[in-house]
Structures are given as structure tokens and as C-alpha cells.
Amino acid sequence: MHVQVTVTLRTSILDPQGKAVEHGIHSMGFASVGNVRIGKIVDLDVDTTDDKEALRVAEEIAKKLLANPVMEDFTVTLVRNGEHRK
Amino acid sequence: MRKAKIGVVVFPGSNCDHDSHFVVGEILGQDARFIWHKEGSVGDVDAVILPGGFSYGDYLRCGAIARFSPVMKDVVRFANAGGIVIGICNGFQILTEAGLLPGVLLRNESLRFICRDVFVRVENEQTRFTNACRPGDVLRIPIAHGEGNYFADDETLKGLEDHRQIVFRYSNATGDVTPEANPNGSLRNIAGIVNRSGNVLGMMPHPERAADPVLRRDDGRLVFESMVRSILRTEQVFEIVNQRS
């Protein structure tokens, strides 16, 4: 099973990288854009045919390694034929 | 005379391991040894140093992967049993990732990697890492990091303040803790903290890079001297160490 983990900075955490990109976007002329935040996508293949098991494994990995709960949130999504399902 | 046995953990990507080893072994004349990260145990040591560097290329998050190195299980055991552990720079990041210290080190507010001398004020001179300092001492020690911006939630910060766990704060040369003296955006100018039981310290500045009198700046030596004093606990050593300095 293919699982995608998305890791984002918690909203309470300042994202200086996102701020810098936002400045760039404003310099491009898109004044309407705000709240730019940068995160990470981690793709995993889990060797199982059980959806629940794949999500459980990915979630445990995300909790312990891929995201740091002090500063980050994460979501875990099953991907089948390019289609995302939570 | 007994010597303090201090182990320096070497991760792939550590680059301050030899400096730390040199300070312990050559400058302070103690028993310094390296501990490869694949070892299952820290061995028979009195203290462990997690040195600076870029363990695992800082991939994912600084310290996030090193935290799962085989030796870390034993470092956690050692720390929980009261063993003295100091994490410097990347070592501090590893200690927060491993849950031995609260909070996290975010990207510097400026987004820049900063490599220069800073001043830190000693906020608590009664720890195992600062007992050779006098109250309010201001130390000049270099920093070299891109992610040293200390963050923790309000409750954690309050706990740190209430239990005098903030050991070093960025200050100016005269010891004033000001926003201008804060190089990276750390909350409350935090440069170093200790755990509740006082045996685990993390700091972003590099005391090992300012510990050799030959370099003319050796304020950082006080951190290592303090550790040796608290390990050996004898008046005799106090005198010998004092004579050296």
C-alpha cells in the first residue's frame, strides 16, 4: 500500500521560510497571497494489503520520527491509483 | 588519582567530536574516549557528550535520525539513571528529539547559518555544568548553527523558569539580556537548559571551541571543568583544577 505523510509546521510556530517565500510572491506582484507555510511530503510503501494496517504503520512512523509534535502536525493518506484517501 | 571518564558519542556527520575529546583529554587531563553510535552501550563512563555537527546530514529535522542510533537507547538509560549528559549544538537538538530535554530548536529567525562569538550569561551557577562559574558570569563562546531558535510552549517555559532550568541566556558583553543580543530568535534568549533533575544539559554555543588557553578565549572550559568537578567531588581536585586556571 502506498501512503503519503504530510508534515506541516503547527500554526502557532513562526515559519521564517514560508515568510521569505511570501515576500518573493509579493515581489512577483501577487499582493493577494498570504499565510504561506512550507511543509514536507513523505511517500511510503507499506508491504500489506490491509488499508488500516498501512495507515497504522505510517501513523506510528509519523508520530515517532517524521514529525515532532512540539512544532509539527501531520496527516496520513492512503494513495491508490494516484487517488488520495484519508 | 582518579580521572573522570567522559565518552564522546560519534554519529555519522559529527564534527565537533575531536574538539570535545581534546578538551577533556588534553586540556583537562581526564580520561576521554570516543563512543561509536552503533555501540549498544555507553560503557563505563561518568559522563557522555553528544557533540556538535550535522548528524545524518540534518536530514528530516536536526537530530531526528540520530535519536534512533543504537547507542541512544543506552544514553537515555544512562541519563534516566542520573548520568551526566551534555549535548552541544547538534547534541542539544538530539536531546530534544530524544525527549531528554523539553522544547525544540527551530530554524534561526534570520534563516541564516550564524557562526560567530556570542555572550551568554550564566543564569544558574549551581548545576553540574556551571559550578566552576560565579553568579552572573558572562561567557564569550562561539555559536555555529542554522537551527538554534529555542521554542517551547508557555507551560514548558514557565516550568523551566520556576525550576531554574535555564542555565545560559544570550546577553551582551555586560550581561544584559536584550533582544539585540539574541542571535537566532530563541524564546527568552535561551541558549542552554538543563533537565529537572539537573544531570542533562543542552546548549547551542560551543564551549569546546573556546576552551584552550592557546586560543586566548577559554571561557568554555568552565563548562567542562564544572563537569569534572562534579564527577570527582574532591577538594583536592578543586585545588588542582584551580591551579591550572
Side-chain angles (χ1 to χ4, degrees):
Chain A
M1 307 287 322
H2 186 72
V3 186
Q4 192 166 75
V5 183
T6 310
V7 181
T8 48
L9 275 178
R10 299 182 75 158
T11 44
S12 56
I13 304 267
L14 178 75
D15 177 9
Q17 205 183 348
K19 274 269 180 300
V21 172
E22 189 174 310
H23 283 303
I25 291 172
H26 290 165
S27 304
M28 289 168 75
F30 294 104
S32 59
V33 175
N35 285 324
V36 179
R37 314 276 295 171
I38 293 185
K40 292 174 201 151
I41 289 175
V42 183
D43 283 315
L44 306 168
D45 276 336
V46 187
D47 188 13
T48 172
T49 50
D50 181 349
D51 290 8
K52 273 198 185 135
E53 172 66 4
L55 285 172
R56 191 195 62 76
V57 168
E59 194 162 328
E60 189 177 338
I61 293 167
K63 222 180 251 170
K64 288 190 180 159
L65 174 64
L66 302 180
N68 180 335
V70 179
M71 60 169 175
E72 292 165 327
D73 292 320
F74 67 88
T75 58
V76 173
T77 317
L78 268 186
V79 184
R80 210 177 279 131
N81 307 323
E83 216 177 284
H84 292 240
R85 276 198 277 165
K86 294 224 167 163
Chain B
M1 189 182 70
R2 189 169 108 77
K3 289 181 176 181
K5 290 172 282 186
I6 301 184
V8 181
V9 177
V10 183
F11 297 100
S14 295
N15 66 7
C16 301
D17 42 351
H18 283 264
D19 307 54
S20 304
H21 189 281
F22 179 82
V23 173
V24 172
E26 301 296 320
I27 307 279
L28 294 181
Q30 304 301 309
D31 176 357
R33 47 183 87 169
F34 289 115
I35 305 168
W36 181 235
H37 74 112
K38 287 202 168 154
E39 301 282 339
S41 150
V42 296
D44 162 36
V45 293
D46 300 306
V48 170
I49 299 176
L50 302 184
F54 299 85
S55 58
Y56 295 90
D58 272 355
Y59 292 160
L60 194 64
R61 284 182 316 277
C62 307
I65 305 177
R67 176 251 154 125
F68 288 100
S69 267
V71 77
M72 281 307 295
K73 235 183 210 163
D74 202 49
V75 171
V76 171
R77 177 205 59 79
F78 181 75
N80 288 336
I84 295 177
V85 178
I86 179 172
I88 300 164
C89 197
N90 189 221
F92 186 5
Q93 295 162 342
I94 295 168
L95 288 174
T96 62
E97 283 288 341
L100 286 174
L101 289 175
V104 70
L105 284 312
L106 300 174
R107 184 76 76 87
N108 292 346
E109 217 167 44
S110 64
L111 286 180
R112 293 205 179 91
F113 188 96
I114 308 169
C115 187
R116 65 174 167 87
D117 279 3
V118 296
F119 294 99
V120 293
R121 190 174 76 190
V122 179
E123 301 286 280
N124 183 347
E125 76 293 343
Q126 288 164 4
T127 75
R128 278 163 237 191
F129 308 90
T130 51
N131 58 55
C133 303
R134 285 159 307 190
D137 262 357
V138 177
L139 312 181
R140 180 171 181 159
I141 306 181
I143 54 168
H145 60 247
E147 285 87 1
N149 178 356
Y150 185 80
F151 175 88
D153 59 31
D154 289 340
E155 198 187 332
T156 306
L157 288 171
K158 186 174 182 305
L160 290 174
E161 301 270 13
D162 290 351
H163 297 90
R164 295 196 70 200
Q165 288 173 256
I166 300 169
V167 178
F168 301 111
R169 276 188 230 260
Y170 299 111
S171 74
N172 61 19
T174 49
D176 305 311
V177 174
T178 63
E180 295 75 37
N182 187 339
N184 51 25
S186 288
L187 290 179
R188 305 192 190 191
N189 282 41
I190 289 174
I193 56 170
V194 77
N195 66 347
R196 192 71 58 94
S197 34
N199 61 309
V200 179
L201 176 111
M203 64 189 295
M204 287 314 294
H206 285 274
E208 80 284 5
R209 294 192 189 179
D212 188 339
V214 165
L215 299 173
R216 299 183 60 210
R217 291 211 196 290
D218 56 355
D219 291 357
R221 198 180 67 227
L222 290 168
V223 173
F224 297 96
E225 240 176 65
S226 300
M227 288 168 64
V228 172
R229 286 187 188 198
S230 50
I231 291 165
L232 299 179
R233 288 171 202 270
T234 75
E235 290 300 319
Q236 251 184 336
V237 174
F238 274 52
E239 280 160 28
I240 289 162
V241 174
N242 281 334
Q243 272 166 16
R244 279 188 61 95
S245 49

